[in-house]
Every structure is written in C-alpha cells, then in structure tokens.
Amino acid sequence: MTEQSPTTRSTGLRPVLMVVVLGMAYFFSNFHRLSLSVIGDVIAVDYDLTSQQLATLGSAIFYSYALMQIPCGFIADRVPAKRLIAGSCVLAAGATLWFAYASGFTSLVLARVLTGLATALVYVPSLAVIRKQFGDRRYGTMTGIIVAMGQLGSVCASAPLKFLADQFSWRFAFLIIGAVSVALAIAAWFLVLDPEAHERGGVRKKSSWKAALSAGSLSIAVWFFITGGTRLSFQSLWGTRYFTQSLELDTSAASLYLMLISVGCIVGSVILGRVADKIGNVRTVVFSTAAFAALWVCFALLRPAIPAPALAVLCLLLGAMGAGGFTVGFSCIRLFAGKESTGIVTGVSNCCAFMGSAVFTQINGTIMGFAPQSSSSGQFSFLLMLFFLLSLAGAVLVALVNRKRFKQ
C-alpha cells in the first residue's frame, strides 16, 4: 500500500530545517544509547560497579526505549510530531543532568531508564512526519538522511567522547549535552511541520493494527530483533571488550574502531537508502543482511595480528551493512502500511530492534560462558559465530515471507 505523492510541499527552507532538527534529535538518541561504550569503565570505577551492574546499566536504556516504541507509534499517528520531539528533548535534558550527577547505582539506572523513555519519542514520529511530508517515492532516501545524521551521534559517542572525558570529565560532556537538548526542544517546536493539519481541515485518519500484524511486517520485526540486537549490543558495550580482550588493543584504539563502525553506519544509511528506492526494499534488506552476517564470521576469526587498515575496513563495512540494512528495514514499512499507520508499524519494528539490543547486551556474557574455549578470544569467536547464524536466519526469513516482493 503506497502513495506516490507527498501530502504537502516538500520544497522550501522550512522542510530542510525540519529534517536538520529531526536528525539532531536522533543524533542525541544514538549518542545516549552508545555512550557507555567508552566511558563505561570510568563510571564503573567512579561508582565501584561490578561487571553485572555495568551490563544492567548498559541494557537499561534499551529496555525502556524498546518498551516505549509501540505506545509511541500509537501516539505518533495521533499527536503532532513537534510536540513529541520537543517534549523528548526536554525530558532527555533532565535525564542527562540526572545521570551526570547521580548519587549511586540506582540513580544511574533510573536516569538511563528515563533517557530511554525520552529518546524513544524521537525516531518513530520523525519517520511518520517525513513520510507524510516527502511522500513514498523519497521515503527511503529521506530515512537514510535521518539515520545518517543520527549515526553522527554514534560517532561522537566513541573517540570524541573519550577525548572530551579524558580532557575534562564525562560529567562535563553530559552537562553540555543537556544544555544543547533544551535549545533543540525550542527549535523543534517552531520548525517541525504537521502535514496532516493541511488535510481535510486537520482531521486525522485513524491508524490500524492490521498492517503491524501482517506476515511481512512481523518478519521484518523479527529481523530487527536479530540484526538490531547483535549490532547495537556490540557497539554499545561489548565491542570495547572485544577489541581490548580478544584483539589486545588499548582503549583508545578500541574507541577509534568503534567510531569507524559508526562512520560506516552513516555511509551505509545514505547509500542503501538510495539503493532501496531503486531495486526494492526487500532485496536490499536480504542482500545487505547476508553481507552483515558474513562480516560477523570475519570478526570471529580475527586475531591480534590483524593489520590496522584491514580491521578499519571491516569496521566500516560492519557499520555500513548493519545500519544501512537497518535504514532499509524501516523504509520497508511503506510496503505494509498506509501513511496513517506509519507510526504504529514503525513502533512495533523499533520495539523489536531495541528489545533485541537490551536482551543481547544483557546476555552476551552468559552466552560466552557456554563457549568450549576458556580464552577471551575463543569466547568472543563463539558469540560472533552465533551472531552470524542468527543474522543469516533473519535474512532467509525476510526473503521467504516476502518472496513475491523479493522477486519483483
């Protein structure tokens, strides 16, 4: 079910500024989710946290973010996006300051939970409003732009955040982010459009659960759980330990390679969004996920002697295929839902993606405990081979359930 023309004009300065604001809001959403990748060990020392407590802290934002997605999708189809985005930025600012000055482990976790709830109000309404504003024909491309801008937050949550934390402190960095979030809330209120206000005197069509429960939509949701869970759990917490323990790199090098994954995410989001508009969403999802799965095998087989340029290329490709496929997965929504149901279908998919992130972040250590090898290298190889099998299964599932669209 698609519509080929936008509901309102997509030209002029204000739609461009709207995309910038939405992208910046998603920037901070990504930043918060991955910020523990380089400051987690520092926070653990500051608050005397155990490894299990750190894993709980890392997963807390994913659980609250994921659980908020379906309600947010329902709300996004009914409430103007500017209210949701502006409210999100205000809540995120408060949560950021709370986290920076938390009194103990419980306060840290609650602040991360609130951060997840706040940032959950960004992505779903952003996709809903850009689809209504720019139409289906440009939806893949515009989704890619939003995701690419958001992935800059992932970049800044790696080496740049570590540099700032080393030079000043991680608390200072979060103080600045809180202040910027307030300014972004004001910008969102004045710049984010509400295309449906121009339709039928502002009367909104009701969204429907039917599209979210279709076989095609559910297959994409399962795929999101797998691919989102594996990649984001790696980027948010376990990647640093992989690089330092398995590949025997220092933390500065680890943060650099995590940044390269995020850089790859930016490039892949833009390129694969365009590719999907040309060759089809389902094909692009399947092919990019197959490549994503193969890259997990490469990482599973790596050893400390790997040349730096080769490792850099692999990190870029992992980000490009992971986030690029992620982008196309969301643009698949136009195949299953009308514009009035974009929010709820996006919410279900995003819920699965970040529930997978929370689950994998929490259980990756337990999974590695089942590895036949006791060394860190062997345990990570076991985990990443499991990532390969699950990702490949996700690609096959999408191809089989959506075989007619795959062949088109």
Side-chain angles (χ1 to χ4, degrees):
M1 182 186 304
T2 61
E3 298 179 34
Q4 296 301 319
S5 60
T7 57
T8 61
R9 292 179 62 203
S10 58
T11 59
L13 181 60
R14 190 175 174 186
V16 173
L17 293 176
M18 179 186 74
V19 171
V20 172
V21 169
L22 296 177
M24 287 303 299
Y26 193 47
F27 170 100
F28 287 112
S29 178
N30 277 270
F31 177 91
H32 286 299
R33 290 200 298 265
L34 302 182
S35 59
L36 286 189
S37 62
V38 295
I39 64 171
D41 290 340
V42 177
I43 292 175
V45 172
D46 287 351
Y47 288 90
D48 193 25
L49 304 181
T50 65
S51 295
Q52 186 58 44
Q53 285 177 316
L54 187 60
T56 299
L57 187 61
S59 63
I61 191 171
F62 290 118
Y63 279 117
S64 59
Y65 186 98
L67 292 173
M68 189 62 185
Q69 290 308 297
I70 294 177
C72 183
F74 183 82
I75 295 169
D77 288 328
R78 290 161 172 79
V79 178
K82 74 173 185 178
R83 297 182 184 179
L84 296 178
I85 302 297
S88 166
C89 293
V90 171
L91 285 176
T96 300
L97 296 177
W98 185 9
F99 184 76
Y101 296 99
S103 59
F105 173 67
T106 300
S107 293
L108 286 171
V109 172
L110 291 176
R112 290 283 283 182
V113 169
L114 181 58
T115 302
L117 293 175
T119 55
L121 296 172
V122 172
Y123 191 64
V124 173
S126 294
L127 292 195
V129 77
I130 66 168
R131 186 181 182 195
K132 294 167 186 173
Q133 180 67 36
F134 294 95
D136 283 344
R137 187 171 298 171
R138 299 171 63 189
Y139 186 55
T141 299
M142 299 309 298
T143 300
I145 291 173
I146 293 291
V147 173
M149 293 179 67
Q151 287 300 330
L152 286 172
S154 302
V155 172
C156 291
S158 52
L161 175 59
K162 178 172 173 51
F163 175 80
L164 191 61
D166 290 343
Q167 295 300 311
F168 301 97
S169 71
W170 65 270
R171 288 186 174 88
F172 175 78
F174 276 62
L175 178 64
I176 297 299
I177 291 165
V180 174
S181 296
V182 173
L184 192 59
I186 298 172
W189 184 262
F190 289 103
L191 294 175
V192 175
L193 296 162
D194 181 24
E196 284 196 352
H198 302 284
E199 293 185 350
R200 299 183 183 179
V203 177
R204 294 175 175 270
K205 299 177 183 178
K206 293 184 178 180
S207 60
S208 171
W209 277 93
K210 184 177 180 180
L213 299 178
S214 67
S217 182
L218 290 176
S219 71
I220 292 294
V222 172
W223 171 85
F224 267 120
F225 182 91
I226 294 170
T227 57
T230 54
R231 179 178 64 85
L232 290 172
S233 68
F234 187 80
Q235 275 189 273
S236 65
L237 183 62
W238 292 97
T240 297
R241 298 192 172 193
Y242 166 77
F243 289 122
T244 57
Q245 296 177 12
S246 183
L247 299 187
E248 300 176 4
L249 301 172
D250 59 37
T251 54
S252 295
S255 66
L256 177 61
Y257 287 117
L258 286 171
M259 184 180 73
L260 289 176
I261 294 176
S262 297
V263 171
C265 290
I266 296 171
V267 177
S269 297
V270 174
I271 293 177
L272 290 186
R274 295 279 293 177
V275 170
D277 284 340
K278 300 294 183 182
I279 72 169
N281 297 85
V282 173
R283 285 183 180 179
T284 309
V285 164
V286 173
F287 293 147
S288 63
T289 307
F292 178 68
L295 285 164
W296 285 129
V297 176
C298 295
F299 277 93
L301 298 177
L302 291 184
R303 293 297 177 262
I306 177 73
L311 181 56
V313 170
L314 288 174
C315 288
L316 287 169
L317 289 174
L318 183 69
M321 294 299 104
F326 209 63
T327 301
V328 179
F330 281 112
S331 64
C332 278
I333 288 166
R334 62 185 168 187
L335 303 177
F336 313 117
K339 291 180 182 179
E340 71 279 0
S341 298
T342 301
I344 191 62
V345 179
T346 304
V348 170
S349 295
N350 217 23
C351 174
C352 290
F354 289 96
M355 186 58 71
S357 304
V359 170
F360 280 104
T361 299
Q362 188 77 40
I363 70 171
N364 280 350
T366 303
I367 292 173
M368 289 192 290
F370 290 103
Q373 306 96 331
S374 59
S375 66
S376 294
S377 178
Q379 289 181 331
F380 272 107
S381 293
F382 179 79
L383 176 68
L384 298 179
M385 287 302 296
L386 177 62
F387 283 4
F388 157 70
L389 293 173
L390 290 172
S391 300
L392 189 61
V396 172
L397 175 66
V398 172
L400 290 177
V401 174
N402 302 279
R403 53 188 176 275
K404 290 183 179 180
R405 291 188 174 98
F406 180 77
K407 293 177 181 178
Q408 289 176 351

